[in-house]
Amino acid sequence: MQNKRLNPFKIAQAQLDESVKKLGLAPRIHRLLRKPMREYRLTILVKMDNGRIKRFKGFRIQYNDARGPCKGGIRFHPEETIDTVRALSAWMTWKTALVDIPLGGAKGGVICNPKTMSGGELERLSRGYIRKIFKYIGPERDIPAPDVYTTPQMMAWMMDEYSKLKGYYCPGVITGKPVEIGGSLGRGDATARGGIYTVREAARHLRLNTKNATVAIQGYGNAGSYAAILSREILGCKVVAVSDTKGGIYNPDGFDPHSVLQHKKKTGSVINFPGAKSITNKDILELDVDILCPAALEYVITKQNAPKVKAKIIAELANGPTTPDADKILYNNKVFVIPDFLCNAGGVTVSYFEWVQNLSNFYWELEEVHQRLDKKMTRAFKDTLNMCLKGKVNMRVAAYMVAVSRVARAMELRGW
Ligand code: GLU
């Protein structure tokens, strides 16, 4: 996942440096904020279906726990690198601080290609990963969750493995579980729903009517497909283009996102959806739409294509989809960017609700989850927008300033 010329961790550090300078934080605090607190490199041995033992490399990085136990997902991806996991663990730290939940930041990853692995192999890998980090995680220590190519079923296996090792049922060790075993109602679409709430607030600020506003979504996984469904359901938008790794589809009259999802489930991709024109993953980013939603991987909006972006709002549901060069171009062109760790914070927010429900063993109605999520996302959006207007900085720098100052304050109070 690491673009050859771009090191995501170096970028994350540069973004941090800029906000630290603006906030005037002490060099001691700055130094602590620049690096992860703890890093684990793992080798996981898995018996494959053909009887052979395969070695997988994995990571768990606990970036900062000044505000509470570490929190963050696990990615299963063939191009995972330690620097990507480092960057993502830093972003989790800023994300939990920005939505003001009492958790820190972490991230995990395994270098593997889940698309070529059987269910049994994925189960053994999931359990093997937990056996390796068992001692370093826990409801009071570090709580993993799903991310790219990891699913609620994998969270179920992981929770089961941890519980077996502990000797009793421990749902609070992992979030994003199926509801039948301690998952929260509303966790499935939480990342997209939270993002849509921030789009609603951005549109309010820009005085943009979202009724029939056009939307293009790159990526039709969990976040992207629910973003399509909810942008229509909550904001009345018209979804005109979507894509996945195999390519994209376009229809100026709009799609029914549910039918596109059915088509993807049946055929494995959104491409060849009846009545739609084909479009490439590159072209989808340059379409003349009101709202553009990158919901796949890092660094898809670069200095090459940023000048061609026509959208009024970019809602970054993916982590790190925009390069720093592109950021400057978008800001000058008055494209309103809802930065990733604000836009996609809905997932971890409902993960936090799930953890709270697990610890109290008392489960909430769906409406309660939605209301509380809306409150958190709206508050975080407003805090960021206020900082953006007050400090005359872009939304990303503003989000950093709000989040980093909260983490720094916790560290100071704890005497670090
Ligand atoms: N992987 C998601 C994220 O990047 C969710 C993390 C969580 O729920 O802990 O925010």
Side-chain angles (χ1 to χ4, degrees):
M1 311 219 165
Q2 191 173 317
N3 183 313
K4 286 183 185 55
R5 281 157 295 125
L6 296 166
N7 178 323
F9 187 50
K10 290 239 156 68
I11 290 178
Q13 284 183 318
Q15 289 167 332
L16 170 75
D17 295 345
E18 188 180 349
S19 66
V20 164
K21 210 159 120 199
K22 291 221 153 64
L23 291 166
L25 297 180
R28 170 179 54 88
I29 296 285
H30 186 190
R31 272 196 301 277
L32 285 174
L33 288 172
R34 280 193 107 236
K35 294 226 170 104
M37 211 169 61
R38 268 179 237 110
E39 297 189 347
Y40 301 105
R41 290 168 186 256
L42 327 159
T43 301
I44 308 147
L45 301 179
V46 176
K47 188 165 194 174
M48 305 304 276
D49 291 347
N50 63 8
R52 294 228 173 107
I53 303 281
K54 193 165 168 183
R55 291 159 64 99
F56 290 91
K57 256 170 107 176
F59 314 99
R60 183 72 187 169
I61 300 187
Q62 297 171 341
Y63 197 85
N64 187 295
D65 65 358
R67 292 172 39 90
C70 293
K71 185 86 193 81
I74 301 166
R75 313 211 301 184
F76 280 3
H77 199 279
E79 283 152 45
E80 195 64 282
T81 71
I82 190 153
D83 274 333
T84 314
V85 183
R86 281 186 182 124
L88 288 159
S89 68
W91 290 330
M92 283 311 301
T93 308
W94 318 137
K95 198 182 298 192
T96 52
L98 188 62
V99 281
D100 203 11
I101 55 180
L103 295 166
K107 204 82 178 193
V110 177
I111 306 172
C112 67
N113 186 357
K115 288 186 181 170
T116 61
M117 293 170 70
S118 71
E121 290 168 345
L122 287 169
E123 174 170 358
R124 293 190 288 279
L125 178 61
S126 303
R127 290 183 185 277
Y129 181 80
I130 290 301
R131 282 198 297 276
K132 287 283 161 157
I133 56 167
F134 165 70
K135 284 197 195 131
Y136 319 116
I137 62 170
E140 278 96 33
R141 198 174 265 188
D142 178 5
I143 307 116
D147 203 289
V148 172
Y149 297 153
T150 48
T151 61
Q153 173 62 75
M154 295 177 194
M155 299 306 114
W157 291 324
M158 291 185 183
M159 182 276 275
D160 182 69
E161 193 65 24
Y162 182 88
S163 297
K164 270 186 187 149
L165 291 165
K166 273 283 184 199
Y168 53 90
Y169 176 58
C170 304
V173 67
I174 281 210
T175 59
K177 302 178 294 294
V179 268
E180 295 85 348
I181 47 164
S184 175
L185 293 175
R187 177 64 183 85
D189 69 12
T191 305
R193 183 176 292 274
I196 295 301
Y197 292 151
T198 65
V199 171
R200 180 194 65 202
E201 294 307 309
R204 251 181 215 157
H205 167 66
L206 300 171
R207 296 179 204 286
L208 175 92
N209 186 356
T210 58
K211 184 104 191 78
N212 287 325
T214 49
V215 181
I217 299 176
Q218 190 200 39
Y220 217 64
N222 176 279
S225 59
Y226 279 125
I229 292 166
L230 296 174
S231 65
R232 200 164 83 142
E233 215 172 279
I234 299 176
L235 304 178
C237 296
K238 193 160 80 172
V239 181
V240 295
V242 303
S243 70
D244 60 29
T245 46
K246 299 212 174 95
I249 51 171
Y250 174 61
N251 183 345
D253 297 329
F255 302 113
D256 168 23
H258 289 283
S259 312
V260 177
L261 190 58
Q262 286 314 319
H263 175 79
K264 182 172 166 99
K265 278 189 182 147
K266 237 193 293 161
T267 65
S269 171
V270 298
I271 57 171
N272 301 323
F273 181 70
K277 283 189 212 141
S278 306
I279 184 170
T280 64
N281 259 303
K282 184 176 161 284
D283 292 342
I284 198 167
L285 301 169
E286 298 166 17
L287 270 183
D288 191 2
V289 288
D290 297 307
I291 301 157
L292 171 65
C293 182
L297 292 176
E298 301 94 65
Y299 306 135
V300 291
I301 304 178
T302 61
K303 68 174 179 219
Q304 275 78 31
N305 60 5
K308 297 182 203 145
V309 168
K310 295 175 196 72
K312 298 181 185 74
I313 297 176
I314 295 186
E316 294 185 339
L317 273 185
N319 285 311
T322 307
T323 67
D325 290 338
D327 246 344
K328 292 197 186 90
I329 298 167
L330 297 172
Y331 187 61
N332 289 336
N333 290 352
K334 300 205 164 36
V335 180
F336 190 90
V337 177
I338 310 174
D340 51 3
F341 68 83
L342 168 60
C343 191
N344 68 30
V348 75
T349 302
V350 177
S351 270
Y352 163 59
F353 298 159
E354 179 175 334
W355 178 71
V356 168
Q357 293 170 77
N358 293 152
L359 298 189
S360 57
N361 210 2
F362 179 77
Y363 288 82
W364 309 350
E365 299 290 338
L366 184 60
E367 290 69 39
E368 186 170 356
V369 173
H370 288 169
Q371 275 166 13
R372 287 182 186 269
L373 173 64
D374 195 347
K375 247 190 179 162
K376 281 284 183 203
M377 297 304 298
T378 304
R379 179 79 265 152
F381 181 89
K382 288 189 174 155
D383 288 347
T384 308
L385 183 64
N386 286 342
M387 182 64 90
C388 158
L389 300 174
K390 204 173 81 189
K392 296 197 173 43
V393 291
N394 69 29
M395 283 290 278
R396 189 177 323 274
V397 176
Y400 262 95
M401 289 170 73
V402 173
V404 169
S405 63
R406 286 179 185 161
V407 179
R409 181 77 186 129
M411 287 163 61
E412 261 160 17
L413 286 168
R414 292 181 64 172
W416 289 11

